[in-house]
Amino acid sequence: MDSSCFRSLSKFTACAIVVLLSLSCFSFTTTEAYDALDPNGNITIKWDVMAWTPDGYVAVVTMFNFQQYRRIQAPGWTLGWTWAKREVIWNMVGAQTTEQGDCSRFKGNIPHCCKKDPTVVDLLPGTPYNQQIANCCKGGVLNPWVQDPATAVSAFQISVGSSGTTNKTVRMPKNFTLKAPGPGYTCGPAKVGKPTKFSTADGRRTTQAMMTWNVTCRNWESRSLNHQVKG
């Protein structure tokens, strides 16, 4: 990936992502995320493909804590998945992988991560501004949506390479995992959803993602409670 591509990604981040993410969290209807006992409380992950690149795409991954009572506390969330093909992560903003993996097949520009099953963590508060996007860098801490929507969202930008470059050739990641202090979570498969729509700051223009994938992760205790209620 050449330097001109990185410059274009940087401009994209500065001019668009901050505005888009600040508004994206309002596109959900939260009344279905939990009931009085919160057996249906969940963490929803949205994977929005924002732009295509010569060998892949740039996406914004956003996590919403739609649990009524459960807060993800420090040291925060850890998100993982398995790539469908031989994808690599060229660059990340607002998060990082815990390991780079074996990138020996690359010469010159070296990817941020070459692992088949990357593990991603949030950046810490105080991260330099040029490494941030909106809703990042909280150390992985997420409050419940009902308590404070502004702190119930976490996001990062990811530049994916060695991937499909159109809606027909790109493949969804699989085997999502979400770890956090406590019992843990079980994640369902990624599903294609309606492309997320975004409004500009002045409200005069609406744009939308190229593609959107949704993943739902549920707390193990919630799943157990749900089975007991149904039984």
Side-chain angles (χ1 to χ4, degrees):
M1 195 173 189
D2 58 31
S3 59
S4 61
C5 189
F6 277 115
R7 287 195 298 269
S8 65
L9 292 179
S10 178
K11 292 179 181 179
F12 184 80
T13 301
C15 298
I17 292 296
V18 171
V19 174
L20 298 179
L21 279 177
S22 64
L23 297 166
S24 65
C25 62
F26 298 106
S27 61
F28 289 92
T29 301
T30 62
T31 55
E32 296 180 358
Y34 53 84
D35 63 16
L37 297 176
D38 201 30
N40 296 318
N42 69 81
I43 292 181
T44 296
I45 302 167
K46 289 180 69 68
W47 191 295
D48 291 311
V49 177
M50 305 303 298
W52 302 111
T53 62
D55 75 331
Y57 60 89
V58 178
V60 173
V61 181
T62 311
M63 301 169 58
F64 300 83
N65 185 3
F66 287 146
Q67 299 177 110
Q68 189 169 11
Y69 307 111
R70 293 181 177 86
R71 176 178 185 264
I72 294 183
Q73 303 184 40
W77 54 261
T78 299
L79 180 65
W81 62 83
T82 302
W83 290 118
K85 298 189 288 186
R86 297 188 69 194
E87 293 91 338
V88 298
I89 300 173
W90 280 113
N91 187 37
M92 297 189 74
V93 182
Q96 64 183 4
T97 60
T98 58
E99 296 182 59
Q100 183 182 41
D102 182 5
C103 295
S104 59
R105 64 188 172 101
F106 291 89
K107 308 297 181 183
N109 292 324
I110 305 300
H112 175 82
C113 179
C114 299
K115 286 181 67 66
K116 178 74 172 178
D117 53 348
T119 299
V120 174
V121 294
D122 195 11
L123 297 183
L124 298 175
T127 294
Y129 182 75
N130 63 356
Q131 299 176 29
Q132 296 186 33
I133 63 170
N135 296 315
C136 83
C137 312
K138 304 172 184 176
V141 174
L142 278 177
N143 286 319
W145 181 274
V146 70
Q147 176 181 329
D148 183 7
T151 59
V153 184
S154 186
F156 59 88
Q157 178 184 302
I158 183 171
S159 174
V160 181
S162 300
S163 170
T165 57
T166 69
N167 289 35
K168 293 183 179 180
T169 59
V170 73
R171 295 291 180 267
M172 292 182 289
K174 56 187 179 180
N175 302 329
F176 277 85
T177 61
L178 177 63
K179 297 179 181 179
Y185 293 82
T186 299
C187 299
K191 297 181 180 180
V192 176
K194 292 183 178 180
T196 303
K197 293 185 177 182
F198 309 95
S199 296
T200 56
D202 59 11
R204 301 177 65 187
R205 174 176 166 80
T206 299
T207 60
Q208 70 178 45
M210 304 294 178
M211 293 186 73
T212 295
W213 304 321
N214 297 314
V215 179
T216 301
C217 301
R218 300 188 186 279
N219 184 279
W220 289 345
E221 289 184 348
S222 294
R223 291 171 63 86
S224 297
L225 177 59
N226 201 18
H227 291 318
Q228 292 174 10
V229 172
K230 288 182 179 180

